[in-house]
């Protein structure tokens, strides 16, 4: 089976983790701050806050922006459920903005129209979470300008996009947003096993996220309600969570980030080869915004169902049976049973639903060989023609 994605663990990674295991610190030692500094340097952000998952990082980002009851959070339907769930964690209400059918990202035109209606209705969102689907940045220039016009805070969900860029600037530099969140799950570009990071240019937001990820505690005398009792003293000044990253995860991440450019270069080679090899099949291939350099987390093909004899499911199952570990990213969030309970229904976001009805994520990972890629192409051709 050729998986759609997989991690690459080298001897350097093993040595980095082993060094931590034989050190004095397994948690709250020097590696996590080093990892945060490495991510900040990679993205051009002033501050980075590590967490035990990207979901946790999204949650503390929402908390730092003050999202709460009676507020609205908007995101896209074609994302992992965490992008929407974090709004519920904060007691907020959640809605969605349909996607652009070419980029699979939040559609700026749909966003503009929805914001205009929401302003009239008094339901403008407090937080907007565009998702950089497959590793390509959303149109952050237009999204950021609209958010600024309507007074909306922006969190970029860049779980797929570490190492990507938009308009010549790295995703995560937060030129058009308040906070950007990255994922380091094993199938992502680089991994810390589980793990996430929130980056920002705002020192106050970083401090709030750091407290939220560590029980709401502070040792800063300036934030305490009264004088310290001694060197051991801390205060809980707000509600927080135990979302901290371990030293082992951070050490793995530091080692992996040293290969980030090589990983993306190899993924790009495979993606370009797919563009050529699959061009004559009854597929719609990914379209790239010329302003973007994708991290190529995923390569998604869309079936031209009117040109093939098989259904979407039949093609998917045939590819699996032939040894390709294909997947589908993602089931539109608003169609999940939990979210239907909020009144969402089929037809609410037609572009996201059309995307789901004919998309398949085919294998793409940095250590995939040319022979494996050619096998993927051969199986696709045999299945579709």
């Amino acid at each position: 089976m050729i998986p759609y994605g997989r991690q690459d663990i080298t001897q350097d990674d093993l040595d980095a983790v082993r060094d931590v295991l034989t050190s004095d610190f397994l948690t709250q030692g020097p590696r996590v701050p080093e990892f945060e500094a490495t991510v900040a340097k990679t993205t051009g952000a002033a501050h980075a806050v590590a967490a035990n998952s990207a979901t946790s990082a999204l949650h503390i980002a929402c908390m730092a922006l003050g999202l709460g009851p009676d507020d609205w959070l908007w995101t896209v339907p074609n994302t992992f459920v965490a992008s929407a769930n974090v709004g519920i964690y904060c007691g907020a209400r959640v809605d969605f903005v349909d996607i652009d059918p070419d980029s699979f990202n939040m559609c700026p035109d749909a966003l503009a129209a929805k914001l205009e209606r929401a302003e009239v209705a008094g339901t403008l969102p407090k937080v907007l979470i565009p998702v950089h689907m497959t590793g390509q940045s959303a149109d952050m220039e237009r999204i950021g300008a609209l958010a600024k016009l309507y007074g909306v805070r922006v969190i970029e969900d860049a779980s797929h996009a570490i190492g990507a860029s938009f308009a010549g600037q790295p995703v995560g530099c937060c030129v058009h947003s308040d906070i950007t969140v990255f994922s380091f799950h094993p199938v992502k570009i680089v991994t810390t096993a589980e793990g996430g990071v929130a980056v920002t240019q705002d020192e106050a937001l970083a401090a709030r996220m750091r407290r939220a990820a560590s029980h709401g505690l502070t040792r800063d005398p300036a934030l305490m309600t009264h004088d310290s009792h001694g060197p051991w003293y801390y205060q809980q000044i707000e509600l927080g969570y135990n979302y901290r990253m371990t030293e082992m995860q951070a050490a793995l991440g530091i080692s992996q980030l040293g290969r980030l450019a090589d990983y993306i270069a190899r993924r790009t080679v495979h993606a370009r080869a797919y563009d050529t090899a699959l061009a004559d099949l009854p597929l719609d291939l990914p379209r790239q915004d010329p302003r973007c350099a994708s991290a190529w987390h995923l390569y998604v093909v869309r079936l031209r169902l009117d040109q093939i004899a098989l259904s979407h499911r039949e093609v998917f199952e045939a590819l699996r049976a032939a040894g390709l570990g294909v997947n589908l990213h993602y089931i539109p969030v608003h169609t999940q049973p939990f979210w239907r309970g909020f009144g969402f229904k089929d037809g609410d976001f037609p572009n996201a639903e059309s995307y789901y009805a004919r998309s398949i994520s085919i294998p793409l990972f940095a250590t995939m060989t040319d022979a494996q890629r050619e096998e993927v192409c051969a199986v696709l051709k045999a299945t579709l023609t």
Side-chain angles (χ1 to χ4, degrees), residues 136-343:
Q136 178 177 213
S137 175
D139 186 346
M140 291 309 302
E141 184 175 10
R142 286 194 63 195
I143 291 170
L146 285 166
K148 185 176 182 179
L149 178 65
Y150 286 94
V152 178
R153 310 301 291 271
V154 178
I155 302 168
E156 297 177 62
D157 185 340
S159 294
H160 294 187
I162 186 75
S165 66
F166 176 78
Q169 296 177 307
V171 169
C173 66
C174 296
V175 169
H176 304 292
S177 65
D178 297 283
I179 300 168
T180 302
V181 168
F182 297 101
S183 172
F184 299 99
H185 184 276
V187 297
K188 298 302 195 301
I189 312 299
V190 295
T191 187
T192 59
E194 282 281 5
V197 168
V199 299
T200 183
Q201 302 291 6
D202 188 310
E203 184 176 4
L205 289 179
R208 289 179 207 151
M209 290 190 290
R210 203 170 298 282
R211 287 196 303 273
S214 189
H215 305 283
L217 302 179
T218 186
R219 295 182 183 273
D220 183 353
L223 298 177
M224 293 184 182
T225 58
H226 51 261
D227 291 342
S228 171
H229 298 173
W232 65 87
Y233 194 63
Y234 58 83
Q235 285 187 354
Q236 182 185 354
I237 61 173
E238 58 196 358
L239 180 65
Y241 298 83
N242 184 4
Y243 284 165
R244 294 178 300 220
M245 177 178 279
T246 69
E247 290 286 280
M248 292 83 75
Q249 290 171 294
L252 176 58
I254 294 165
S255 179
Q256 291 258 315
L257 281 168
R259 303 193 297 278
L260 176 61
D262 291 340
Y263 283 158
I264 292 178
R266 186 60 182 160
R267 285 173 176 268
T268 302
V269 166
H270 287 312
R272 295 301 176 224
Y274 275 149
D275 289 345
T276 300
L278 304 178
D280 294 331
L281 295 182
L283 299 169
D284 288 324
L285 304 181
R287 297 183 184 180
Q288 294 299 295
D289 185 329
R291 296 169 297 172
C292 297
S294 179
W296 287 110
H297 167 52
L298 298 172
Y299 192 95
V300 176
V301 299
R302 289 170 294 165
L303 305 177
R304 296 177 185 167
L305 292 170
D306 59 338
Q307 298 178 23
I308 58 178
L310 302 176
S311 69
H312 184 208
R313 179 170 179 170
E314 287 169 336
V315 171
F316 190 97
E317 291 179 343
L319 296 176
R320 281 275 182 96
L324 304 189
V326 293
N327 213 326
L328 206 171
H329 301 86
Y330 294 95
I331 304 168
V333 177
H334 71 284
T335 67
Q336 295 287 357
F338 174 79
W339 289 96
R340 288 186 188 275
F342 291 93

Side-chain angles (χ1 to χ4, degrees), residues 5 10 14 47 69 92 123 127 137 159 172 273 289 369 374:
T10 69
L14 296 173
H47 308 279
T123 57
V127 172
S137 175
S159 294
D289 185 329
T369 65
E374 290 164 6

Side-chain angles (χ1 to χ4, degrees), residues 53-63 67-68 73-75 80-94 127 129 155 157 181 241 243 338-339:
S53 72
T55 303
S56 300
L58 283 169
H59 187 192
I60 62 175
C62 289
M63 292 174 66
L67 186 70
L73 178 149
W74 291 2
T75 187
F80 188 58
V81 294
S83 306
N85 286 350
V86 293
I88 304 299
Y89 298 166
C90 293
R93 292 174 286 182
V94 176
V127 172
I129 303 183
I155 302 168
D157 185 340
V181 168
Y241 298 83
Y243 284 165
F338 174 79
W339 289 96

